[in-house]
Amino acid sequence: MPDVLIRQMTQAEFDDWRAAAIRSHADEQMAAGNWSPDEAEQLATEGHDALLPGGFATPGMLFLAADDPEGDRVGILWLSETHPRGIPDCGFLYDIEVAEPYRGSGYGRALLTAAEDELRSRGVQSLGLNVFGDNTAAVRLYETSGYRVVTQQMLKSLT
Ligand SMILES: CC(C)(COP(=O)(O)OP(=O)(O)OC[C@H]1O[C@@H](n2cnc3c(N)ncnc32)[C@H](O)[C@@H]1OP(=O)(O)O)[C@@H](O)C(=O)NCCC(=O)NCCS
């Protein structure tokens, strides 16, 4: 695995990431047919703000950045020390993202390992996450890192 230095995001990095994350969440929900284009941005913003009432400083939420040895930022992590459905002693991986030019070189696995180490050091005993079934790279990363499916949503187009 490549070396990465894990650090807190800066406020400016958080602000940029938040805007991009809201846009991407809105796009995903539109692509899944859940939200219409006129409501997507607002619903994504509301959902985000509900999870992060204190923004960057929301208790129990961690916003981390990963730099390579040259100091270039290769990815980010959004972690929670608690699970959104209240599973005891279980943290949650809300976001893991490797910058596009760095994908496929082991950084995703390095970030996931760093996320697990960070939460373990805070007394968290397991880690949950959500992933879209068609996100092959992410699904493979999780499967080969020891994650197993615990709930599954299914959908069939009727048109
Ligand atoms: C998912 C993501 C973090 C993986 O990061 P990465 O740096 O490309 O992954 P790595 O190089 O560490 O690869 C780790 C494993 O992922 C899987 N993988 C990575 N890219 C893959 C691809 N294009 N196709 C299939 N599997 C892939 C492989 O199992 C790989 O292990 P291997 O190299 O031993 O075969 C990255 O693709 C990403 O940022 N995607 C956009 C954001 C995202 O979808 N995040 C997940 C939200 S749930």
Side-chain angles (χ1 to χ4, degrees):
M1 269 191 302
D3 280 344
V4 285
L5 176 75
I6 304 293
R7 59 174 174 81
Q8 279 243 358
M9 276 186 206
T10 62
Q11 179 73 52
E13 285 175 322
F14 173 82
D15 293 342
D16 288 348
W17 165 80
R18 177 181 176 278
I22 287 172
R23 264 197 314 277
S24 145
H25 185 46
D27 289 347
E28 278 171 0
Q29 293 296 334
M30 282 192 291
N34 296 333
W35 295 348
S36 65
D38 53 329
E39 64 181 358
E41 184 88 13
Q42 190 192 336
L43 289 175
T45 304
E46 286 170 4
H48 221 262
D49 290 347
L51 277 173
L52 299 174
F56 192 33
T58 303
M61 295 291 188
L62 305 173
F63 301 97
L64 306 176
D67 295 334
D68 72 5
E70 279 76 49
D72 294 324
R73 201 179 78 176
V74 296
I76 60 89
L77 290 164
W78 170 16
L79 312 176
S80 171
E81 291 176 353
T82 57
H83 192 282
R85 290 189 300 280
I87 299 175
D89 302 317
C90 185
F92 201 74
L93 178 78
Y94 278 100
D95 199 8
I96 177 170
E97 190 167 345
V98 172
E100 267 190 58
Y102 295 93
R103 288 184 194 165
S105 304
Y107 284 111
R109 201 179 293 286
L111 260 74
L112 186 59
T113 303
E116 294 169 356
D117 290 346
E118 179 64 38
L119 289 171
R120 193 182 294 109
S121 77
R122 293 166 180 259
V124 175
Q125 289 173 21
S126 55
L127 181 56
L129 56 88
N130 288 336
V131 60
F132 284 105
D134 62 359
N135 191 344
T136 310
V139 169
R140 286 292 301 145
L141 168 62
Y142 302 139
E143 282 174 345
T144 58
S145 300
Y147 291 76
R148 62 188 171 83
V149 175
V150 286
T151 56
Q152 219 165 3
Q153 294 188 350
M154 300 177 86
L155 183 144
K156 172 186 171 182
S157 169
L158 302 181
T159 58

